[in-house]
Amino acid sequence: MVSKEQEALHLEGVKSLIDIINNELSGELEKTTGELIEERKFALEELGSVITDDAQIEYSQVLPSLKFQEELQVSRQDVKNSLGKMKDRPYFGAVTIKDEDEADSEKLYIGLNSLKDPSTNDLIIYDWRTPIASTYYANHLGRVEYEVPSVGLQSVDVKERIQLVIEKGELLDVFDSELYIGDDALQHLLVDTAKDKMKSIVTTIQEDQNRIIRQNSAQDLLVLGPPGSGKTSVAMQRIAYLLYLHRHKMNADNMLFITPNEMFGDYIAEVLPELGEASINAMTFYRLHDKLSRRYEFETLFQHIERMRRAADTTAYRLKSSHDMLNAINRHVAKLADSGIKFRTIKIKDEPFTTAEELSELFYHKFKDSPIDSRLKKIQVEFWPRYKEVLNKAIKERTKALKRVTNYIGTDAELEKQAEQEKTRQFRVVKNYIKRLEFINIEKIYLDILKQLNPAVRAATLESLRNRQLNYEDIAPLLLLTVKVKGLQREPKIQHLIIDEVQDYSPVQLAAITAVFPNARKTMLGDRNQLVHPVHIDTMETTALELTKSYRSTIEITEFTKSLIGNTSTQSLGVHGDEVKPLSFTHFKEMLSHLDSESVAIIARDADHAQMVAAELPDVTLLTHDQYTFTKGTILMPNYMSKGFEFTYVFILDYDLYDKDKDKFLLYTVASRATRHLYLVETE
């Protein structure tokens, strides 16, 4: 039987140990800081400020030592900061285990970070990511297996598992539990989480989630689950786990989260720092259009969704997003080594720097025995001397022209510098053409592929290219062709990608992502039923790990969302709450005026509808397409922008205008944003 008094005494002992370590570290930091300052002073005094050849040699010997000591100092400070946070909540659970070979059982305390007793070197607290800590997340007592990387499966007998609720260094409660969501311990923690940005779920990770977090497979991972099953939270914990597991060869800069919208990066920004890890970068797929030519303006995702909702003909979108398009790109690129690459003539002041004919001759004849990427590099090498020669000639001519000016405009040296700056700026376009291989006409190659598939779509795309206004669905094929043909725009340093809402991505988009990040393993998250795009392209052919339990919303809300699509597989493990209620628009406005919550979402049909409603509701924040920051309070947004978020109160406006069959997946997605209260507001 768990004793709260004994656990309170143990906690006090751990806090005392943290104080001792902290005090020792503070003294060491103070001492080493002083020593480091003295060493810097000594180096400056002895070596002087003038860097002679002899001084350079001495500096080269002293600097590595100073650099090492500074890095050590930063590491000590990081540990001190970590200890400060640890004292508030050193651990959140404990598991008592017994090895087959051991006579006695051992109690392991599990926290966000490990802690060693410096006098014995024994672990007092185990980091939740250590292999043995996995036993804590099993949902049963008795024999439990856990995997140790590079060793294999290990087995222990779990005798006891407890959850401890500790806040600000005080033990509030202790639960003896097998840790599934129905237990008192987790019901105690299952408060409404929608009041702020996404938080860590490390204290409530379930067994099925734990298996996903600790997957060490070299293959890409697809995780499917209903709203509230913790897919995104699991992905964040998985990032922290991988950073821990591969800490000597991977850091936060080697990871990237591809988010469903611009706000989502801000929404998840606090999770990893809460776990003691640096935040990783986040971006939308749309942002990859920056890798394409600046000549074109690309439609955003939300503009694209609105257009697709109004479109009478979606042939072009379906084609450009299809497996047929992907296969056609791959076939066409395979043939380009022999023929088919379209080249541009490069001109300087209407004078050709190189012609399409010359480029074709170089590529298909002079360098024909090399692979495509090598041929392009050889063409670059061929052009650089020519570029410098033409540039230098232009600089000399401009210098002469400036010197012929009768008024005094500068010294000869100043005029030469002015001429160099002017001509270098003027020739920058040519330089970029060579550097970025802009002499390859990717757009014409794209049009050739479209001509094979659908001449009418090709004609419409040609018109868009002439107007320099391209659609969202053009980004992926153009990006894929750019990477495959030019070999540019790859980001090899990214080793792991998280792709959220993967059901929204086309085969061409996923192929483009793989091409841009060739060294990255992927963790992909999705739900076949959460669809806000009016035209769905199915992409999920990979074997998936399925989550079936939903923890986010009340049982009443979850049951309502299930009824919208006839879902019988999702198991609701939330708390009971209010029934889902219809509401008139008048009652909605009245209720809103008295509502006291920082987490309220008003869901409009589209951007125009949201603008119209915003004019009637003065105290709401209207979210627009270019919103980058997640906002607390009462927010108003089009339905497709709500995906991925959760709110305490959700009001679905004009609910009676939705087609309950055609729009069932959209309504399912929007309704599942609510954690505690869901209202279906009738048309005004």
Side-chain angles (χ1 to χ4, degrees):
M1 186 71 183
V2 179
S3 166
K4 187 176 179 181
E5 290 74 20
Q6 287 179 354
E7 291 299 339
L9 283 172
H10 180 81
L11 176 60
E12 290 305 314
V14 171
K15 284 162 57 182
S16 297
L17 180 62
I18 291 173
D19 282 337
I20 291 168
I21 298 171
N22 202 17
N23 290 337
E24 288 178 355
L25 192 56
S26 296
E28 195 175 342
L29 269 169
E30 190 174 341
K31 178 187 172 187
T32 51
T33 299
E35 290 173 351
L36 195 54
I37 291 170
E38 286 303 314
E39 281 202 45
R40 283 179 182 164
K41 274 184 181 178
F42 177 77
L44 285 171
E45 288 168 2
E46 288 295 309
L47 301 174
S49 57
V50 180
I51 310 296
T52 63
D53 290 343
D54 290 340
Q56 280 185 351
I57 294 169
E58 290 186 65
Y59 266 124
S60 68
Q61 294 168 344
V62 171
L63 287 177
S65 172
L66 281 172
K67 186 173 183 290
F68 173 75
Q69 290 180 60
E70 285 173 358
E71 288 173 351
L72 196 60
Q73 198 74 342
V74 169
S75 177
R76 289 190 186 110
Q77 189 60 55
D78 287 344
V79 172
K80 183 173 166 56
N81 294 340
S82 177
L83 285 170
K85 293 177 184 177
M86 187 178 277
K87 194 173 177 183
D88 284 342
R89 188 175 63 163
Y91 44 82
F92 50 80
V95 59
T96 303
I97 62 171
K98 184 177 180 299
D99 252 317
E100 290 179 355
D101 304 331
E102 301 290 335
D104 298 325
S105 58
E106 181 183 8
K107 191 170 188 176
L108 312 178
Y109 285 84
I110 313 298
L112 291 180
N113 300 105
S114 294
L115 181 70
K116 279 186 178 181
D117 184 338
S119 63
T120 63
N121 214 31
D122 290 338
L123 273 171
I124 305 301
I125 302 170
Y126 286 76
D127 189 302
W128 67 276
R129 295 166 290 188
T130 55
I132 191 68
S134 187
T135 59
Y136 171 77
Y137 295 111
N139 66 356
H140 61 89
L141 302 181
R143 188 58 53 186
V144 171
E145 290 185 334
Y146 65 96
E147 186 167 2
V148 179
S150 75
V151 174
L153 283 178
Q154 305 294 303
S155 178
V156 293
D157 190 14
V158 176
K159 298 293 186 182
E160 180 186 60
R161 184 180 291 102
I162 63 171
Q163 179 135 12
L164 302 110
V165 182
I166 301 171
E167 291 179 12
K168 296 180 180 177
E170 296 296 319
L171 180 63
L172 302 183
D173 222 332
V174 182
F175 297 95
D176 186 354
S177 172
E178 292 188 6
L179 286 183
Y180 62 94
I181 199 71
D183 283 339
D184 292 339
L186 296 188
Q187 291 291 1
H188 175 86
L189 292 172
L190 196 62
V191 294
D192 186 10
T193 58
K195 294 177 182 175
D196 208 337
K197 299 179 184 180
M198 181 177 285
K199 298 294 185 185
S200 157
I201 62 163
V202 67
T203 61
T204 58
I205 292 169
Q206 301 299 289
E207 188 175 32
D208 53 352
Q209 296 172 334
N210 186 51
R211 278 197 298 271
I212 293 167
I213 290 167
R214 295 174 188 265
Q215 280 284 329
N216 293 323
S217 170
Q219 304 302 314
D220 292 341
L221 188 64
L222 173 63
V223 180
L224 300 179
S229 58
K231 297 184 297 296
T232 306
S233 295
V234 164
M236 299 306 291
Q237 315 303 126
R238 178 162 167 75
I239 291 168
Y241 173 74
L242 291 172
L243 288 171
Y244 174 85
L245 187 66
H246 304 293
R247 55 193 175 279
H248 297 304
K249 51 184 180 178
M250 185 189 295
N251 59 40
D253 291 335
N254 302 125
M255 292 189 156
L256 180 67
F257 201 126
I258 299 183
T259 61
N261 55 57
E262 300 291 1
M263 288 185 296
F264 206 76
D266 183 57
Y267 181 63
I268 62 175
E270 294 176 3
V271 178
L272 287 171
E274 187 183 339
L275 293 169
E277 299 289 353
S279 288
I280 67 168
N281 290 321
M283 65 178 291
T284 60
F285 177 82
Y286 173 72
R287 288 295 148 201
L288 291 176
H289 85 279
D290 289 342
K291 295 179 177 295
L292 298 172
S293 174
R294 304 289 172 87
R295 291 191 297 272
Y296 305 106
E297 185 175 331
F298 287 89
E299 174 188 53
T300 68
L301 172 60
F302 294 141
Q303 290 168 340
H304 164 72
I305 290 175
E306 298 239 2
R307 177 173 60 86
M308 284 292 98
R309 286 181 174 179
R310 298 189 300 268
D313 183 2
T314 60
T315 303
Y317 165 70
R318 290 180 183 277
L319 176 66
K320 293 174 181 180
S321 306
S322 67
H323 284 286
D324 288 344
M325 184 71 194
L326 178 58
N327 293 335
I329 288 173
N330 290 334
R331 285 196 306 269
H332 196 81
V333 170
K335 296 175 182 176
L336 291 179
D338 299 319
S339 64
I341 286 191
K342 307 296 182 181
F343 294 101
R344 288 189 176 96
T345 292
I346 304 175
K347 291 183 178 181
I348 302 172
K349 284 188 172 182
D350 298 327
E351 291 294 322
F353 174 81
T354 182
T355 64
E357 291 75 19
E358 182 190 10
L359 286 162
S360 185
E361 171 67 26
L362 290 170
F363 188 86
Y364 284 116
H365 295 91
K366 184 174 181 179
F367 303 133
K368 68 177 181 179
D369 295 329
S370 300
I372 287 180
D373 57 346
S374 295
R375 294 188 216 181
L376 296 174
K377 286 173 185 171
K378 287 179 179 179
I379 291 174
Q380 283 180 317
V381 170
E382 182 109 348
F383 283 165
W384 283 127
R386 186 189 305 184
Y387 165 76
K388 289 174 183 174
E389 182 184 337
V390 173
L391 174 61
N392 289 334
K393 181 181 176 183
I395 291 170
K396 287 177 183 177
E397 289 176 354
R398 179 58 178 156
T399 303
K400 287 178 184 177
L402 289 171
K403 287 179 178 179
R404 284 197 296 267
V405 175
T406 54
N407 299 332
Y408 177 78
I409 57 174
T411 64
D412 285 355
E414 288 170 342
L415 296 179
E416 287 169 7
K417 187 174 182 181
Q418 181 183 336
E420 182 181 358
Q421 288 173 341
E422 283 182 16
K423 290 303 169 182
T424 301
R425 195 182 308 118
Q426 183 184 339
F427 279 52
R428 191 175 296 152
V429 174
V430 178
K431 183 179 180 181
N432 286 337
Y433 258 65
I434 301 169
K435 184 178 177 181
R436 299 173 187 168
L437 305 178
E438 288 290 328
F439 50 79
I440 296 177
N441 195 329
I442 291 293
E443 292 83 353
K444 277 194 176 180
I445 296 172
Y446 182 37
L447 290 170
D448 284 351
I449 295 169
L450 289 174
K451 186 177 181 180
Q452 300 166 23
L453 296 171
N454 188 316
V457 171
R458 181 212 181 262
T461 305
L462 176 59
E463 188 64 25
S464 295
L465 286 165
R466 285 171 174 163
N467 294 328
R468 302 194 176 185
Q469 296 277 340
L470 289 174
N471 290 328
Y472 181 78
E473 60 266 30
D474 290 309
I475 296 173
L478 283 171
L479 182 58
L480 184 57
L481 281 168
T482 298
V483 178
K484 279 181 167 288
V485 176
K486 293 184 178 180
L488 300 180
Q489 305 296 1
R490 292 191 180 103
E491 295 193 24
K493 79 168 188 176
I494 299 298
Q495 297 178 38
H496 201 91
L497 285 173
I498 306 291
I499 305 177
D500 207 359
E501 307 293 353
V502 71
Q503 72 275 6
D504 293 336
Y505 290 81
S506 74
V508 187
Q509 284 178 309
L510 291 177
I513 290 170
T514 300
V516 172
F517 306 102
N519 297 333
R521 301 293 179 197
K522 295 187 281 292
T523 297
M524 299 172 287
L525 319 163
D527 177 0
R528 290 186 176 92
N529 299 317
Q530 286 193 62
L531 305 173
V532 298
H533 197 288
V535 185
H536 181 55
I537 307 290
D538 191 17
T539 61
M540 293 183 291
E541 298 175 347
T542 314
T543 303
L545 295 175
E546 302 264 359
L547 296 170
T548 58
K549 298 171 184 174
S550 179
Y551 309 100
R552 175 197 296 154
S553 306
T554 61
I555 291 170
E556 289 74 14
I557 292 173
T558 302
E559 291 304 315
F560 173 76
T561 59
K562 288 167 62 177
S563 71
L564 290 171
I565 59 170
N567 174 9
T568 58
S569 60
T570 299
Q571 183 181 357
S572 176
L573 294 174
V575 295
H576 276 287
D578 296 339
E579 293 293 334
V580 177
K581 297 173 185 175
L583 208 61
S584 70
F585 193 81
T586 302
H587 285 154
F588 154 67
K589 288 199 291 185
E590 183 182 342
M591 182 178 176
L592 199 63
S593 65
H594 297 100
L595 200 58
D596 182 21
S597 174
E598 289 190 324
S599 180
V600 181
I602 303 164
I603 312 296
R605 293 192 315 276
D606 51 36
D608 290 341
H609 184 216
Q611 289 276 4
M612 183 179 70
V613 173
E616 291 191 52
L617 305 175
D619 296 324
V620 303
T621 301
L622 175 64
L623 296 190
T624 57
H625 292 167
D626 55 356
Q627 189 88 16
Y628 286 87
T629 306
F630 181 73
T631 306
K632 292 193 294 183
T634 302
I635 61 178
L636 170 64
M637 67 179 86
N639 49 34
Y640 47 77
M641 283 187 72
S642 67
K643 197 173 207 183
F645 301 110
E646 57 183 52
F647 307 92
T648 304
Y649 290 84
V650 169
F651 298 89
I652 305 177
L653 302 185
D654 287 3
Y655 182 79
D656 49 323
L657 294 186
Y658 285 90
D659 184 314
K660 300 309 180 291
D661 182 44
K662 181 183 174 184
D663 298 325
K664 63 182 178 181
F665 295 114
L666 173 60
L667 286 172
Y668 169 78
T669 306
V670 174
S672 61
R673 302 306 94 204
T675 62
R676 292 294 177 269
H677 308 279
L678 176 60
Y679 296 94
L680 314 176
V681 183
E682 298 170 357
T683 312
E684 185 176 16

mmCIF file with all atom_site columns, all heavy atoms in Angstrom, residues 402-416:
data_model
loop_
_atom_site.group_PDB
_atom_site.id
_atom_site.type_symbol
_atom_site.label_atom_id
_atom_site.label_alt_id
_atom_site.label_comp_id
_atom_site.label_asym_id
_atom_site.label_entity_id
_atom_site.label_seq_id
_atom_site.pdbx_PDB_ins_code
_atom_site.Cartn_x
_atom_site.Cartn_y
_atom_site.Cartn_z
_atom_site.occupancy
_atom_site.B_iso_or_equiv
_atom_site.pdbx_formal_charge
_atom_site.auth_seq_id
_atom_site.auth_comp_id
_atom_site.auth_asym_id
_atom_site.auth_atom_id
_atom_site.pdbx_PDB_model_num
ATOM 1   N N   . LEU A 1 402 ? 33.139 57.259 -66.605 1.00 0.00 ? 402 LEU A N   1
ATOM 2   C CA  . LEU A 1 402 ? 33.088 58.126 -65.425 1.00 0.00 ? 402 LEU A CA  1
ATOM 3   C C   . LEU A 1 402 ? 34.251 59.117 -65.426 1.00 0.00 ? 402 LEU A C   1
ATOM 4   O O   . LEU A 1 402 ? 34.105 60.286 -65.040 1.00 0.00 ? 402 LEU A O   1
ATOM 5   C CB  . LEU A 1 402 ? 33.120 57.289 -64.141 1.00 0.00 ? 402 LEU A CB  1
ATOM 6   C CG  . LEU A 1 402 ? 31.854 56.484 -63.816 1.00 0.00 ? 402 LEU A CG  1
ATOM 7   C CD1 . LEU A 1 402 ? 32.099 55.545 -62.639 1.00 0.00 ? 402 LEU A CD1 1
ATOM 8   C CD2 . LEU A 1 402 ? 30.676 57.405 -63.518 1.00 0.00 ? 402 LEU A CD2 1
ATOM 9   N N   . LYS A 1 403 ? 35.422 58.650 -65.869 1.00 0.00 ? 403 LYS A N   1
ATOM 10  C CA  . LYS A 1 403 ? 36.599 59.525 -65.876 1.00 0.00 ? 403 LYS A CA  1
ATOM 11  C C   . LYS A 1 403 ? 36.511 60.615 -66.952 1.00 0.00 ? 403 LYS A C   1
ATOM 12  O O   . LYS A 1 403 ? 37.209 61.642 -66.872 1.00 0.00 ? 403 LYS A O   1
ATOM 13  C CB  . LYS A 1 403 ? 37.867 58.697 -66.090 1.00 0.00 ? 403 LYS A CB  1
ATOM 14  C CG  . LYS A 1 403 ? 38.259 57.871 -64.863 1.00 0.00 ? 403 LYS A CG  1
ATOM 15  C CD  . LYS A 1 403 ? 39.516 57.049 -65.123 1.00 0.00 ? 403 LYS A CD  1
ATOM 16  C CE  . LYS A 1 403 ? 39.917 56.262 -63.875 1.00 0.00 ? 403 LYS A CE  1
ATOM 17  N NZ  . LYS A 1 403 ? 41.124 55.430 -64.103 1.00 0.00 ? 403 LYS A NZ  1
ATOM 18  N N   . ARG A 1 404 ? 35.656 60.376 -67.942 1.00 0.00 ? 404 ARG A N   1
ATOM 19  C CA  . ARG A 1 404 ? 35.496 61.379 -69.001 1.00 0.00 ? 404 ARG A CA  1
ATOM 20  C C   . ARG A 1 404 ? 34.583 62.540 -68.581 1.00 0.00 ? 404 ARG A C   1
ATOM 21  O O   . ARG A 1 404 ? 34.482 63.537 -69.281 1.00 0.00 ? 404 ARG A O   1
ATOM 22  C CB  . ARG A 1 404 ? 34.942 60.726 -70.273 1.00 0.00 ? 404 ARG A CB  1
ATOM 23  C CG  . ARG A 1 404 ? 35.983 59.916 -71.056 1.00 0.00 ? 404 ARG A CG  1
ATOM 24  C CD  . ARG A 1 404 ? 35.514 59.649 -72.480 1.00 0.00 ? 404 ARG A CD  1
ATOM 25  N NE  . ARG A 1 404 ? 34.323 58.821 -72.501 1.00 0.00 ? 404 ARG A NE  1
ATOM 26  C CZ  . ARG A 1 404 ? 34.342 57.488 -72.611 1.00 0.00 ? 404 ARG A CZ  1
ATOM 27  N NH1 . ARG A 1 404 ? 35.514 56.842 -72.695 1.00 0.00 ? 404 ARG A NH1 1
ATOM 28  N NH2 . ARG A 1 404 ? 33.227 56.803 -72.633 1.00 0.00 ? 404 ARG A NH2 1
ATOM 29  N N   . VAL A 1 405 ? 33.886 62.346 -67.462 1.00 0.00 ? 405 VAL A N   1
ATOM 30  C CA  . VAL A 1 405 ? 32.987 63.413 -66.978 1.00 0.00 ? 405 VAL A CA  1
ATOM 31  C C   . VAL A 1 405 ? 33.827 64.630 -66.610 1.00 0.00 ? 405 VAL A C   1
ATOM 32  O O   . VAL A 1 405 ? 34.834 64.517 -65.893 1.00 0.00 ? 405 VAL A O   1
ATOM 33  C CB  . VAL A 1 405 ? 32.178 62.927 -65.749 1.00 0.00 ? 405 VAL A CB  1
ATOM 34  C CG1 . VAL A 1 405 ? 31.339 64.079 -65.180 1.00 0.00 ? 405 VAL A CG1 1
ATOM 35  C CG2 . VAL A 1 405 ? 31.292 61.758 -66.129 1.00 0.00 ? 405 VAL A CG2 1
ATOM 36  N N   . THR A 1 406 ? 33.446 65.800 -67.111 1.00 0.00 ? 406 THR A N   1
ATOM 37  C CA  . THR A 1 406 ? 34.267 67.000 -66.910 1.00 0.00 ? 406 THR A CA  1
ATOM 38  C C   . THR A 1 406 ? 34.223 67.527 -65.483 1.00 0.00 ? 406 THR A C   1
ATOM 39  O O   . THR A 1 406 ? 35.212 68.054 -64.966 1.00 0.00 ? 406 THR A O   1
ATOM 40  C CB  . THR A 1 406 ? 33.790 68.116 -67.879 1.00 0.00 ? 406 THR A CB  1
ATOM 41  O OG1 . THR A 1 406 ? 32.386 68.316 -67.698 1.00 0.00 ? 406 THR A OG1 1
ATOM 42  C CG2 . THR A 1 406 ? 34.079 67.741 -69.318 1.00 0.00 ? 406 THR A CG2 1
ATOM 43  N N   . ASN A 1 407 ? 33.066 67.408 -64.808 1.00 0.00 ? 407 ASN A N   1
ATOM 44  C CA  . ASN A 1 407 ? 32.983 67.838 -63.406 1.00 0.00 ? 407 ASN A CA  1
ATOM 45  C C   . ASN A 1 407 ? 33.710 66.835 -62.519 1.00 0.00 ? 407 ASN A C   1
ATOM 46  O O   . ASN A 1 407 ? 33.783 65.629 -62.827 1.00 0.00 ? 407 ASN A O   1
ATOM 47  C CB  . ASN A 1 407 ? 31.518 67.937 -62.950 1.00 0.00 ? 407 ASN A CB  1
ATOM 48  C CG  . ASN A 1 407 ? 30.752 68.960 -63.779 1.00 0.00 ? 407 ASN A CG  1
ATOM 49  O OD1 . ASN A 1 407 ? 31.337 69.909 -64.294 1.00 0.00 ? 407 ASN A OD1 1
ATOM 50  N ND2 . ASN A 1 407 ? 29.447 68.742 -63.911 1.00 0.00 ? 407 ASN A ND2 1
ATOM 51  N N   . TYR A 1 408 ? 34.180 67.319 -61.380 1.00 0.00 ? 408 TYR A N   1
ATOM 52  C CA  . TYR A 1 408 ? 34.852 66.412 -60.420 1.00 0.00 ? 408 TYR A CA  1
ATOM 53  C C   . TYR A 1 408 ? 33.804 65.558 -59.696 1.00 0.00 ? 408 TYR A C   1
ATOM 54  O O   . TYR A 1 408 ? 32.894 66.101 -59.048 1.00 0.00 ? 408 TYR A O   1
ATOM 55  C CB  . TYR A 1 408 ? 35.666 67.214 -59.409 1.00 0.00 ? 408 TYR A CB  1
ATOM 56  C CG  . TYR A 1 408 ? 36.314 66.324 -58.361 1.00 0.00 ? 408 TYR A CG  1
ATOM 57  C CD1 . TYR A 1 408 ? 37.463 65.594 -58.670 1.00 0.00 ? 408 TYR A CD1 1
ATOM 58  C CD2 . TYR A 1 408 ? 35.751 66.200 -57.091 1.00 0.00 ? 408 TYR A CD2 1
ATOM 59  C CE1 . TYR A 1 408 ? 38.048 64.765 -57.721 1.00 0.00 ? 408 TYR A CE1 1
ATOM 60  C CE2 . TYR A 1 408 ? 36.335 65.367 -56.139 1.00 0.00 ? 408 TYR A CE2 1
ATOM 61  C CZ  . TYR A 1 408 ? 37.491 64.655 -56.445 1.00 0.00 ? 408 TYR A CZ  1
ATOM 62  O OH  . TYR A 1 408 ? 38.059 63.823 -55.509 1.00 0.00 ? 408 TYR A OH  1
ATOM 63  N N   . ILE A 1 409 ? 33.902 64.265 -59.830 1.00 0.00 ? 409 ILE A N   1
ATOM 64  C CA  . ILE A 1 409 ? 32.963 63.356 -59.156 1.00 0.00 ? 409 ILE A CA  1
ATOM 65  C C   . ILE A 1 409 ? 33.685 62.327 -58.291 1.00 0.00 ? 409 ILE A C   1
ATOM 66  O O   . ILE A 1 409 ? 33.066 61.395 -57.763 1.00 0.00 ? 409 ILE A O   1
ATOM 67  C CB  . ILE A 1 409 ? 32.038 62.633 -60.177 1.00 0.00 ? 409 ILE A CB  1
ATOM 68  C CG1 . ILE A 1 409 ? 32.867 61.870 -61.216 1.00 0.00 ? 409 ILE A CG1 1
ATOM 69  C CG2 . ILE A 1 409 ? 31.070 63.597 -60.817 1.00 0.00 ? 409 ILE A CG2 1
ATOM 70  C CD1 . ILE A 1 409 ? 32.021 61.023 -62.165 1.00 0.00 ? 409 ILE A CD1 1
ATOM 71  N N   . GLY A 1 410 ? 34.987 62.457 -58.157 1.00 0.00 ? 410 GLY A N   1
ATOM 72  C CA  . GLY A 1 410 ? 35.735 61.555 -57.283 1.00 0.00 ? 410 GLY A CA  1
ATOM 73  C C   . GLY A 1 410 ? 37.124 61.283 -57.818 1.00 0.00 ? 410 GLY A C   1
ATOM 74  O O   . GLY A 1 410 ? 37.437 61.570 -58.981 1.00 0.00 ? 410 GLY A O   1
ATOM 75  N N   . THR A 1 411 ? 37.916 60.680 -56.954 1.00 0.00 ? 411 THR A N   1
ATOM 76  C CA  . THR A 1 411 ? 39.264 60.282 -57.366 1.00 0.00 ? 411 THR A CA  1
ATOM 77  C C   . THR A 1 411 ? 39.174 59.077 -58.296 1.00 0.00 ? 411 THR A C   1
ATOM 78  O O   . THR A 1 411 ? 38.116 58.431 -58.405 1.00 0.00 ? 411 THR A O   1
ATOM 79  C CB  . THR A 1 411 ? 40.102 59.907 -56.138 1.00 0.00 ? 411 THR A CB  1
ATOM 80  O OG1 . THR A 1 411 ? 39.519 58.757 -55.525 1.00 0.00 ? 411 THR A OG1 1
ATOM 81  C CG2 . THR A 1 411 ? 40.159 61.048 -55.128 1.00 0.00 ? 411 THR A CG2 1
ATOM 82  N N   . ASP A 1 412 ? 40.301 58.772 -58.960 1.00 0.00 ? 412 ASP A N   1
ATOM 83  C CA  . ASP A 1 412 ? 40.318 57.608 -59.849 1.00 0.00 ? 412 ASP A CA  1
ATOM 84  C C   . ASP A 1 412 ? 39.933 56.331 -59.097 1.00 0.00 ? 412 ASP A C   1
ATOM 85  O O   . ASP A 1 412 ? 39.173 55.495 -59.614 1.00 0.00 ? 412 ASP A O   1
ATOM 86  C CB  . ASP A 1 412 ? 41.704 57.447 -60.474 1.00 0.00 ? 412 ASP A CB  1
ATOM 87  C CG  . ASP A 1 412 ? 41.951 58.476 -61.571 1.00 0.00 ? 412 ASP A CG  1
ATOM 88  O OD1 . ASP A 1 412 ? 41.011 59.233 -61.879 1.00 0.00 ? 412 ASP A OD1 1
ATOM 89  O OD2 . ASP A 1 412 ? 43.082 58.492 -62.103 1.00 0.00 ? 412 ASP A OD2 1
ATOM 90  N N   . ALA A 1 413 ? 40.465 56.181 -57.889 1.00 0.00 ? 413 ALA A N   1
ATOM 91  C CA  . ALA A 1 413 ? 40.161 54.969 -57.088 1.00 0.00 ? 413 ALA A CA  1
ATOM 92  C C   . ALA A 1 413 ? 38.678 54.910 -56.748 1.00 0.00 ? 413 ALA A C   1
ATOM 93  O O   . ALA A 1 413 ? 38.045 53.838 -56.786 1.00 0.00 ? 413 ALA A O   1
ATOM 94  C CB  . ALA A 1 413 ? 40.996 54.960 -55.808 1.00 0.00 ? 413 ALA A CB  1
ATOM 95  N N   . GLU A 1 414 ? 38.099 56.081 -56.413 1.00 0.00 ? 414 GLU A N   1
ATOM 96  C CA  . GLU A 1 414 ? 36.668 56.135 -56.077 1.00 0.00 ? 414 GLU A CA  1
ATOM 97  C C   . GLU A 1 414 ? 35.807 55.812 -57.293 1.00 0.00 ? 414 GLU A C   1
ATOM 98  O O   . GLU A 1 414 ? 34.792 55.133 -57.198 1.00 0.00 ? 414 GLU A O   1
ATOM 99  C CB  . GLU A 1 414 ? 36.323 57.514 -55.517 1.00 0.00 ? 414 GLU A CB  1
ATOM 100 C CG  . GLU A 1 414 ? 36.863 57.740 -54.117 1.00 0.00 ? 414 GLU A CG  1
ATOM 101 C CD  . GLU A 1 414 ? 36.716 59.195 -53.661 1.00 0.00 ? 414 GLU A CD  1
ATOM 102 O OE1 . GLU A 1 414 ? 36.529 60.088 -54.526 1.00 0.00 ? 414 GLU A OE1 1
ATOM 103 O OE2 . GLU A 1 414 ? 36.786 59.421 -52.444 1.00 0.00 ? 414 GLU A OE2 1
ATOM 104 N N   . LEU A 1 415 ? 36.229 56.327 -58.462 1.00 0.00 ? 415 LEU A N   1
ATOM 105 C CA  . LEU A 1 415 ? 35.469 56.058 -59.688 1.00 0.00 ? 415 LEU A CA  1
ATOM 106 C C   . LEU A 1 415 ? 35.548 54.579 -60.077 1.00 0.00 ? 415 LEU A C   1
ATOM 107 O O   . LEU A 1 415 ? 34.559 53.990 -60.539 1.00 0.00 ? 415 LEU A O   1
ATOM 108 C CB  . LEU A 1 415 ? 35.994 56.930 -60.828 1.00 0.00 ? 415 LEU A CB  1
ATOM 109 C CG  . LEU A 1 415 ? 35.825 58.452 -60.651 1.00 0.00 ? 415 LEU A CG  1
ATOM 110 C CD1 . LEU A 1 415 ? 36.412 59.194 -61.849 1.00 0.00 ? 415 LEU A CD1 1
ATOM 111 C CD2 . LEU A 1 415 ? 34.358 58.814 -60.466 1.00 0.00 ? 415 LEU A CD2 1
ATOM 112 N N   . GLU A 1 416 ? 36.706 53.988 -59.900 1.00 0.00 ? 416 GLU A N   1
ATOM 113 C CA  . GLU A 1 416 ? 36.850 52.551 -60.180 1.00 0.00 ? 416 GLU A CA  1
ATOM 114 C C   . GLU A 1 416 ? 35.946 51.723 -59.263 1.00 0.00 ? 416 GLU A C   1
ATOM 115 O O   . GLU A 1 416 ? 35.310 50.751 -59.694 1.00 0.00 ? 416 GLU A O   1
ATOM 116 C CB  . GLU A 1 416 ? 38.314 52.140 -60.005 1.00 0.00 ? 416 GLU A CB  1
ATOM 117 C CG  . GLU A 1 416 ? 39.221 52.631 -61.126 1.00 0.00 ? 416 GLU A CG  1
ATOM 118 C CD  . GLU A 1 416 ? 40.692 52.442 -60.813 1.00 0.00 ? 416 GLU A CD  1
ATOM 119 O OE1 . GLU A 1 416 ? 40.994 51.798 -59.779 1.00 0.00 ? 416 GLU A OE1 1
ATOM 120 O OE2 . GLU A 1 416 ? 41.544 52.946 -61.579 1.00 0.00 ? 416 GLU A OE2 1
#
